Amino acid sequence: MAMQQTLRALADPTRREILCLLKPGRLSAGQIGEYFPITPAAISRHLALLKEAGLVQDQREGKFIFYQLNASVLEEIMLWLAQLKGEDRNEAQLPVETE
């Protein structure tokens, strides 16, 4: 269920853009909202879905909530995709034939 929830969260372009914004470091919900032409309530909903999926973590500081990327969940998804693609870290590399 966790992977399904994560993939569902990643399916939305606004949520993917939020993750890109958080790549350099943490931001408050207000700072994130400045990048989008949508309501603060919509931003809050996107952030809640990202948090439920484990893609972001939040930390309250006074009246502000700061969000940061949770890279470990993304790494799990990337590993699964690599395995699906056929890349296996444990497989020996076959030599490349040269003429």
Side-chain angles (χ1 to χ4, degrees):
M1 177 66 172
M3 185 176 291
Q4 184 177 359
Q5 194 173 21
T6 302
L7 292 173
R8 188 176 295 126
L10 289 171
D12 184 87
T14 300
R15 290 192 286 272
R16 290 194 306 268
E17 184 63 27
I18 290 171
L19 294 175
C20 289
L21 288 172
L22 293 173
K23 186 177 172 185
R26 69 187 200 140
L27 294 171
S28 70
Q31 290 170 314
I32 293 168
E34 292 174 3
Y35 289 90
F36 300 96
I38 58 178
T39 66
I43 291 293
S44 292
R45 181 67 182 141
H46 284 300
L47 289 168
L49 290 170
L50 289 169
K51 184 179 172 187
E52 289 171 13
L55 292 164
V56 298
Q57 299 169 331
D58 65 350
Q59 181 178 4
R60 180 174 289 279
E61 291 183 16
K63 64 179 184 173
F64 297 102
I65 299 176
F66 289 89
Y67 293 86
Q68 63 187 24
L69 196 58
N70 181 8
S72 63
V73 173
L74 291 172
E75 289 169 357
E76 290 176 27
I77 295 294
M78 290 170 48
L79 179 60
W80 176 76
L81 288 171
Q83 291 171 345
L84 184 65
K85 186 179 173 187
E87 298 172 9
D88 186 356
R89 292 181 181 178
N90 297 326
E91 281 184 41
Q93 294 290 327
L94 296 175
V96 177
E97 292 184 28
T98 58
E99 294 181 276

